[in-house]
Coordinates of all heavy atoms in Angstrom, one line a residue:
T1 N 0.8 -1.2 0.0 CA 0.0 0.0 0.0 C 0.9 1.2 0.0 O 2.0 1.2 0.5 CB -0.9 0.0 1.2 OG1 -1.8 1.2 1.2 CG2 -0.1 0.1 2.5
N2 N 0.3 2.3 -0.5 CA 1.0 3.6 -0.4 C 0.1 4.6 0.4 O 0.3 5.8 0.4 CB 1.2 4.2 -1.8 CG 2.4 3.6 -2.5 OD1 3.5 3.4 -2.0 ND2 2.1 3.1 -3.7
D3 N -0.8 4.0 1.1 CA -1.7 4.7 2.0 C -1.2 4.5 3.5 O -1.4 3.4 4.0 CB -3.1 4.3 1.8 CG -4.1 5.1 2.6 OD1 -3.8 5.5 3.8 OD2 -5.3 5.3 2.1
L4 N -0.6 5.5 4.1 CA -0.1 5.3 5.4 C -1.1 5.0 6.5 O -0.9 4.2 7.4 CB 0.6 6.6 5.8 CG 1.3 6.6 7.2 CD1 2.4 5.5 7.3 CD2 2.0 8.0 7.5
K5 N -2.3 5.5 6.3 CA -3.4 5.2 7.3 C -3.8 3.8 7.2 O -4.0 3.1 8.2 CB -4.6 6.1 7.0 CG -4.4 7.6 7.4 CD -5.7 8.4 7.2 CE -5.5 9.9 7.7 NZ -6.7 10.7 7.4
N6 N -3.9 3.2 6.0 CA -4.2 1.8 5.8 C -3.1 0.9 6.4 O -3.4 -0.1 7.0 CB -4.5 1.5 4.4 CG -5.9 1.9 3.9 OD1 -6.7 2.4 4.7 ND2 -6.2 1.9 2.6
A7 N -1.9 1.3 6.1 CA -0.8 0.5 6.6 C -0.8 0.5 8.2 O -0.6 -0.6 8.8 CB 0.6 1.2 6.2
W8 N -1.1 1.6 8.8 CA -1.1 1.7 10.2 C -2.3 0.9 10.8 O -2.2 0.3 11.9 CB -1.2 3.1 10.7 CG -0.9 3.2 12.2 CD1 -1.7 3.5 13.2 CD2 0.4 2.9 12.8 NE1 -1.1 3.4 14.4 CE2 0.2 3.1 14.2 CE3 1.7 2.6 12.3 CZ2 1.3 2.9 15.1 CZ3 2.7 2.4 13.2 CH2 2.5 2.5 14.6
K9 N -3.4 0.9 10.1 CA -4.6 0.1 10.5 C -4.2 -1.4 10.6 O -4.6 -2.1 11.5 CB -5.8 0.3 9.5 CG -6.7 1.4 9.9 CD -8.0 1.3 9.1 CE -9.0 2.3 9.5 NZ -10.3 2.2 8.8
V10 N -3.5 -1.8 9.6 CA -3.1 -3.2 9.6 C -2.1 -3.5 10.8 O -2.2 -4.5 11.5 CB -2.5 -3.6 8.3 CG1 -2.0 -5.1 8.3 CG2 -3.4 -3.4 7.1
I11 N -1.2 -2.6 10.9 CA -0.2 -2.7 12.0 C -0.9 -2.9 13.4 O -0.6 -3.7 14.2 CB 0.8 -1.5 12.0 CG1 1.7 -1.6 10.8 CG2 1.6 -1.5 13.3 CD1 2.5 -0.3 10.6
E12 N -1.9 -2.0 13.6 CA -2.6 -2.0 14.9 C -3.6 -3.2 15.1 O -3.8 -3.6 16.2 CB -3.3 -0.7 15.1 CG -2.4 0.5 15.4 CD -3.2 1.7 15.9 OE1 -4.2 2.0 15.3 OE2 -2.7 2.3 16.9
N13 N -4.2 -3.7 14.0 CA -5.3 -4.6 14.1 C -5.1 -6.0 13.6 O -5.9 -6.9 13.9 CB -6.5 -4.0 13.4 CG -7.0 -2.7 14.0 OD1 -7.4 -2.6 15.2 ND2 -6.8 -1.6 13.3
A14 N -4.0 -6.3 12.9 CA -3.8 -7.6 12.5 C -3.2 -8.4 13.6 O -2.3 -8.0 14.3 CB -2.8 -7.6 11.3
D15 N -3.8 -9.6 13.9 CA -3.4 -10.5 15.0 C -2.3 -11.4 14.5 O -2.4 -12.6 14.2 CB -4.6 -11.3 15.4 CG -5.7 -10.5 16.1 OD1 -5.4 -9.4 16.6 OD2 -6.9 -11.0 16.0
V16 N -1.1 -10.8 14.4 CA 0.1 -11.5 13.9 C 1.3 -11.0 14.7 O 1.3 -10.0 15.4 CB 0.3 -11.2 12.4 CG1 -0.8 -11.7 11.6 CG2 0.5 -9.7 12.2
G17 N 2.4 -11.8 14.6 CA 3.7 -11.4 15.2 C 4.5 -10.4 14.5 O 5.4 -9.8 15.0
G18 N 4.2 -10.3 13.2 CA 5.0 -9.4 12.3 C 4.2 -8.8 11.2 O 3.4 -9.5 10.5
V19 N 4.3 -7.5 10.9 CA 3.7 -6.8 9.8 C 4.8 -6.3 8.9 O 5.6 -5.5 9.3 CB 2.8 -5.7 10.3 CG1 2.1 -5.0 9.1 CG2 1.7 -6.2 11.3
I20 N 4.7 -6.7 7.6 CA 5.8 -6.3 6.7 C 5.1 -5.4 5.6 O 4.3 -5.8 4.9 CB 6.4 -7.6 6.0 CG1 6.7 -8.7 7.0 CG2 7.6 -7.1 5.2 CD1 7.7 -8.3 8.1
I21 N 5.5 -4.1 5.6 CA 4.9 -3.1 4.8 C 5.7 -3.1 3.4 O 6.9 -3.0 3.4 CB 4.9 -1.8 5.4 CG1 4.3 -1.8 6.8 CG2 4.2 -0.7 4.5 CD1 2.8 -2.2 6.8
N22 N 4.9 -3.2 2.4 CA 5.4 -3.2 1.0 C 6.4 -4.3 0.7 O 7.3 -4.1 0.0 CB 5.9 -1.8 0.6 CG 4.8 -0.8 0.3 OD1 3.7 -1.2 -0.2 ND2 5.0 0.4 0.7
D23 N 6.1 -5.4 1.4 CA 6.9 -6.7 1.1 C 6.0 -7.8 1.5 O 5.0 -7.6 2.2 CB 8.2 -6.7 1.7 CG 9.2 -7.5 1.0 OD1 8.8 -8.4 0.2 OD2 10.5 -7.4 1.2
I24 N 6.5 -9.0 1.2 CA 5.7 -10.2 1.6 C 6.0 -10.7 3.0 O 7.0 -10.4 3.6 CB 6.1 -11.4 0.6 CG1 7.6 -11.5 0.4 CG2 5.4 -11.1 -0.8 CD1 8.0 -12.6 -0.5
P25 N 5.0 -11.5 3.6 CA 5.2 -12.0 4.9 C 6.4 -13.0 5.0 O 6.8 -13.3 6.1 CB 3.9 -12.7 5.2 CG 3.3 -13.0 3.9 CD 3.7 -11.9 3.0
T26 N 6.9 -13.4 3.8 CA 8.0 -14.4 3.8 C 9.3 -13.8 4.2 O 10.3 -14.5 4.3 CB 8.0 -15.0 2.4 OG1 6.7 -15.2 1.9 CG2 8.7 -16.4 2.4
F27 N 9.3 -12.5 4.3 CA 10.6 -11.8 4.7 C 10.9 -12.2 6.2 O 10.1 -12.1 7.1 CB 10.4 -10.3 4.7 CG 11.6 -9.5 5.3 CD1 12.8 -9.4 4.7 CD2 11.5 -9.0 6.6 CE1 13.9 -8.8 5.3 CE2 12.5 -8.4 7.2 CZ 13.7 -8.3 6.5
R28 N 12.2 -12.6 6.3 CA 12.7 -12.8 7.7 C 14.2 -12.5 7.7 O 15.0 -13.1 6.9 CB 12.5 -14.3 8.1 CG 13.1 -14.6 9.5 CD 12.9 -16.0 9.9 NE 13.5 -16.2 11.3 CZ 13.5 -17.4 11.9 NH1 13.0 -18.5 11.3 NH2 14.0 -17.5 13.1
A29 N 14.6 -11.6 8.5 CA 16.0 -11.4 8.8 C 16.4 -12.3 10.0 O 15.6 -12.3 11.0 CB 16.3 -9.9 9.1
D30 N 17.5 -12.9 10.0 CA 17.7 -13.9 11.0 C 18.1 -13.4 12.4 O 18.2 -14.1 13.4 CB 18.8 -14.9 10.6 CG 18.3 -15.8 9.5 OD1 17.4 -16.6 9.8 OD2 18.8 -15.7 8.3
N31 N 18.2 -12.1 12.5 CA 18.5 -11.4 13.8 C 17.2 -10.8 14.4 O 17.3 -10.2 15.4 CB 19.6 -10.4 13.7 CG 19.3 -9.3 12.8 OD1 18.5 -9.4 11.8 ND2 19.9 -8.1 13.0
M32 N 16.1 -10.8 13.7 CA 14.9 -10.2 14.1 C 14.1 -11.1 15.1 O 14.3 -12.3 15.1 CB 14.0 -9.8 13.0 CG 13.3 -10.9 12.3 SD 12.4 -10.4 10.8 CE 10.8 -11.1 11.0
P33 N 13.2 -10.5 15.9 CA 12.4 -11.4 16.8 C 11.3 -12.0 15.9 O 10.4 -11.3 15.4 CB 11.8 -10.4 17.8 CG 11.9 -9.0 17.1 CD 13.1 -9.1 16.2
Y34 N 11.4 -13.3 15.7 CA 10.5 -14.0 14.8 C 9.6 -15.0 15.5 O 10.1 -15.8 16.2 CB 11.3 -14.7 13.7 CG 10.6 -15.6 12.8 CD1 9.8 -15.1 11.8 CD2 10.6 -17.0 13.0 CE1 9.1 -15.9 10.9 CE2 9.8 -17.8 12.2 CZ 9.1 -17.3 11.1 OH 8.4 -18.1 10.3
G35 N 8.3 -14.8 15.3 CA 7.4 -15.7 16.0 C 6.0 -15.1 15.8 O 5.8 -14.1 15.2
G36 N 5.0 -15.9 16.3 CA 3.6 -15.4 16.1 C 2.7 -15.5 17.3 O 3.2 -15.7 18.4
V37 N 1.5 -15.3 17.1 CA 0.4 -15.3 18.1 C -0.6 -16.4 17.8 O -0.5 -17.0 16.7 CB -0.3 -13.9 18.3 CG1 0.8 -12.9 18.6 CG2 -1.0 -13.5 17.0
K38 N -1.5 -16.6 18.7 CA -2.6 -17.6 18.5 C -1.9 -19.0 18.2 O -1.0 -19.4 18.9 CB -3.5 -17.2 17.4 CG -4.3 -15.9 17.7 CD -5.4 -15.6 16.7 CE -5.0 -15.4 15.3 NZ -6.1 -14.9 14.4
G39 N -2.4 -19.7 17.2 CA -1.9 -21.0 16.9 C -0.5 -21.0 16.3 O 0.0 -22.1 16.0
S40 N 0.1 -19.9 16.0 CA 1.4 -19.8 15.4 C 2.5 -19.9 16.4 O 3.7 -20.0 16.0 CB 1.6 -18.5 14.6 OG 0.8 -18.6 13.4
G41 N 2.2 -20.0 17.7 CA 3.3 -20.3 18.6 C 3.4 -19.5 19.8 O 2.6 -18.6 20.1
I42 N 4.5 -19.7 20.5 CA 4.9 -19.0 21.8 C 6.3 -18.6 21.8 O 7.2 -19.5 21.4 CB 4.7 -20.0 23.0 CG1 3.2 -20.5 23.1 CG2 5.0 -19.3 24.3 CD1 3.0 -21.6 24.1
G43 N 6.6 -17.4 22.1 CA 8.0 -17.0 22.2 C 8.5 -16.5 20.8 O 7.8 -16.4 19.8
R44 N 9.8 -16.1 20.8 CA 10.4 -15.6 19.6 C 11.8 -16.2 19.3 O 12.5 -16.5 20.3 CB 10.6 -14.1 19.7 CG 9.3 -13.3 19.8 CD 8.5 -13.4 18.5 NE 7.3 -12.6 18.5 CZ 6.1 -13.1 18.8 NH1 6.0 -14.4 19.3 NH2 5.0 -12.4 18.8

């Protein structure tokens, strides 16, 4: 998205461990805190 308000809405309201703006959720840097909520796990 190029709409900052929409991006922030997702950041605040998506029930996930990570929000990646203007890229895919498949992004992972190996030094970042990686993990999820709900059935995606516990811890990072």
